[in-house]
Amino acid sequence: MIAKTRRIANTKNLVNHLPTKRYTNPENVYFAVTNARCPKGEVLVKEGEYVKLGQKIGMRYGPFFEQSIHSTVSGTVVGVVKKFHRSGKLVEFIQVKNDMKDTPVESIHERTEEEIAQLTLEDYAEITKDVSLVGLGGSSFPTYIKFQTKDPIDTILINGVECEPYLSADHRLIIEFTEQVIYGCKYALQAFKAKKLYICIKYIYEDLYDTLNAELTRFPDLPIEVKKVGNYYPQGWEIEMIKSALGIKVPSGVLPAKLGLMVFNVSTIMGLYRAIKWNEPVYERNFTLNGDGIKYPQNYRLRIGTSLKEIIEFSGGYKDDTDKVLILGGPMMGANLVRDDAVITKTCTSCIILNAKKNIEEPCVRCSSCVYSCPAGLKPVMIMQAVKNGDKEALKKELNIKACILCGMCSYTCTSKIHLTDYCRKAKKMAM
């Protein structure tokens, strides 16, 4: 276990300290018509039509919200093709051929600081809805809904923890876009009229602590503090982060807003800056490509809609001819891909490519490792049994499967190598 932990840390630290490479001019980009939150979608452009950067080209429809789909380049619509989404499903994508000119749509424009100061919370909700800003840490939850809260917000927390192994996209974002991050924090404070904002980072990252505090000397009037939190997984889970940063325990099923708290991922807060300052949708993001199966691990600044296969080739390809495991997202909560014909969406933080290793699943020995390691206080071994027995009522009531965050800790700690997280995933579907 110790050797494995060190190997993970060393691999992550390698790309942590490399400058981010830009790969922002792919020949073609692709945009999912539907996603996990929005099962219905509509294409608003036709084959051969010219589109501009930031132009609305489609709509997705969820159960209680909708999301605009924006082109991240200017160019010509090729048509609709099928590719793998970050969810691991094969879905329809709008393909646009990049003309490499980045001609912006007319709605993109700069707002002055005086204009921004006059914006209301309702204005923030409208702007973030129009540009389709979502949780860029991977949640994809629509940001405009957070600005529609009726609860008074006293404290804002920015999640820069990035607790999964191998990932460092947010780390490089903070280092390289510090000013934009602080301005995003400023706008969030103005919108909610909050009294305090904390930027939460792991205590081991002195470079982030020093960089952020150096930048904050230019904003002496802002009530912003860099808060060091724990160096463990799943410290990035907002409930755990709030507890570490403020000592407040958010009860299961209660939104942090009910306690006067609002949480944003650090990439989302930069997206908020771009939305408010420039009325601009997210068209680029930081992305980690890492693992022992890729020749040159690297952090990238990518155009949303870039082909994963293209980035793998740009990174030198696979390290050797052995079988690979491709995980879109972090190694604990990401989705396994059956092939590399996937697309990097705005909520894709990373792709981890590992050399495949065979694990033999053995019978459960009732060691309770999964119970002790569960951050939500659940009993994964009993959830597994309930799934096998088809006991939906037990999953809903005594076992409280709704509280499971699918963090992967039960599978990781299982001494019998049972894929308990898969059972939890099945349990959630059964209990719906």
Side-chain angles (χ1 to χ4, degrees):
M1 180 68 73
I2 292 174
K4 183 173 184 179
T5 303
R6 285 176 179 167
R7 180 173 65 84
I8 288 174
N10 289 339
T11 307
K12 179 175 180 179
N13 287 340
L14 175 65
V15 296
N16 230 13
H17 296 89
L18 290 174
T20 301
K21 282 190 176 182
R22 292 187 65 82
Y23 190 88
T24 54
N25 288 307
E27 185 175 344
N28 290 279
V29 286
Y30 307 86
F31 309 99
V33 179
T34 59
N35 60 26
R37 289 190 179 273
C38 299
K40 296 182 180 180
E42 180 183 7
V43 179
L44 302 179
V45 289
K46 298 178 181 178
E47 183 178 334
E49 184 175 339
Y50 180 78
V51 296
K52 295 180 179 180
L53 187 153
Q55 181 177 329
K56 186 186 295 186
I57 60 173
M59 287 293 296
R60 302 188 191 105
Y61 302 100
F64 59 91
F65 61 88
E66 57 187 32
Q67 292 178 348
S68 302
I69 305 170
H70 298 92
S71 179
T72 59
V73 299
S74 57
T76 306
V77 177
V78 176
V80 176
V81 297
K82 286 197 172 183
K83 285 185 172 289
F84 282 96
H85 186 261
R86 69 181 296 268
S87 62
K89 295 181 179 180
L90 192 65
V91 300
E92 290 186 334
F93 282 77
I94 305 168
Q95 180 180 349
V96 177
K97 184 175 177 58
N98 188 0
D99 67 2
M100 308 297 174
K101 295 180 180 179
D102 282 346
T103 305
V105 70
E106 291 75 12
S107 59
I108 294 177
H109 66 279
E110 183 180 7
R111 293 186 179 94
T112 66
E113 290 300 305
E114 291 74 22
E115 289 173 324
I116 293 170
Q118 298 302 314
L119 296 176
T120 64
L121 191 62
E122 291 74 21
D123 292 329
Y124 273 78
E126 183 179 351
I127 292 167
T128 52
K129 182 178 182 179
D130 286 345
V131 302
S132 197
L133 182 63
V134 298
L136 299 179
S139 72
S140 76
F141 187 79
T143 304
Y144 79 87
I145 294 177
K146 291 191 173 186
F147 286 110
Q148 289 179 335
T149 182
K150 302 301 181 183
D151 299 302
I153 302 300
D154 296 318
T155 306
I156 300 170
L157 294 95
I158 306 303
N159 189 341
V161 178
E162 199 169 34
C163 62
E164 288 202 58
Y166 291 104
L167 308 192
S168 53
D170 283 349
H171 189 114
R172 295 308 309 177
L173 179 98
I174 295 172
I175 292 290
E176 296 167 351
F177 294 93
T178 320
E179 183 182 35
Q180 294 191 25
V181 168
I182 300 302
Y183 266 105
C185 293
K186 176 186 176 182
Y187 298 159
L189 282 165
Q190 289 179 186
F192 291 106
K193 295 181 172 58
K195 298 175 183 177
K196 189 73 176 181
L197 183 145
Y198 295 96
I199 303 175
C200 300
I201 60 170
K202 287 183 179 180
Y203 72 82
I204 61 169
Y205 291 136
E206 290 293 339
D207 57 342
L208 296 185
Y209 187 78
D210 292 342
T211 300
L212 286 165
N213 278 311
E215 185 66 31
L216 284 170
T217 60
R218 300 177 57 241
F219 300 86
D221 297 330
L222 292 182
I224 298 176
E225 180 182 337
V226 184
K227 192 79 170 180
K228 294 181 179 180
V229 295
N231 179 37
Y232 60 86
Y233 181 83
Q235 177 66 97
W237 177 34
E238 71 172 10
I239 304 302
E240 192 70 18
M241 186 188 70
I242 291 169
K243 182 180 177 182
S244 293
L246 304 178
I248 297 173
K249 187 175 181 180
V250 180
S252 177
V254 175
L255 291 174
K258 295 297 180 183
L259 304 179
L261 308 173
M262 185 60 67
V263 181
F264 294 99
N265 174 266
V266 70
S267 291
T268 309
I269 210 70
M270 180 174 161
L272 179 66
Y273 163 74
R274 302 297 303 182
I276 300 303
K277 185 66 176 178
W278 300 97
N279 207 51
E280 187 180 86
V282 175
Y283 64 88
E284 292 180 355
R285 73 155 297 135
N286 277 31
F287 181 86
T288 299
L289 186 64
N290 205 348
D292 56 16
I294 189 75
K295 191 169 286 185
Y296 302 119
Q298 180 68 52
N299 277 305
Y300 287 101
R301 185 75 180 163
L302 295 177
R303 197 61 61 104
I304 303 300
T306 301
S307 162
L308 173 62
K309 189 173 184 179
E310 200 171 320
I311 292 299
I312 292 172
E313 291 172 356
F314 189 73
S315 295
Y318 300 112
K319 189 174 284 186
D320 49 47
D321 294 331
T322 59
D323 291 340
K324 306 296 180 211
V325 175
L326 274 69
I327 307 167
L328 200 57
M332 302 298 286
M333 299 186 72
N336 278 16
L337 295 176
V338 295
R339 57 182 184 179
D340 56 15
D341 184 26
V343 172
I344 297 160
T345 66
K346 67 173 69 173
T347 54
C348 285
T349 60
S350 53
C351 181
I352 311 304
I353 302 176
L354 304 172
N355 291 320
K357 296 177 182 177
K358 290 185 179 179
N359 288 319
I360 299 174
E361 187 174 309
E362 299 175 354
C364 175
V365 296
R366 301 286 175 174
C367 67
S368 297
S369 292
C370 59
V371 178
Y372 296 137
S373 65
C374 179
L378 305 181
K379 299 175 181 177
V381 64
M382 295 183 68
I383 291 171
M384 174 183 71
Q385 199 57 52
V387 170
K388 289 181 177 180
N389 295 337
D391 193 342
K392 294 182 181 180
E393 288 304 309
L395 291 171
K396 290 179 181 179
K397 295 179 181 178
E398 308 97 88
L399 299 177
N400 193 23
I401 187 60
K402 188 177 180 180
C404 176
I405 61 171
L406 299 174
C407 67
M409 282 297 293
C410 52
S411 292
Y412 185 75
T413 58
C414 179
T415 56
S416 297
K417 305 300 180 186
I418 299 171
H419 297 292
L420 290 163
T421 309
D422 286 345
Y423 282 105
C424 292
R425 193 172 284 111
K426 292 174 183 176
K428 280 182 169 288
K429 291 181 180 179
M430 284 176 61
M432 288 177 66

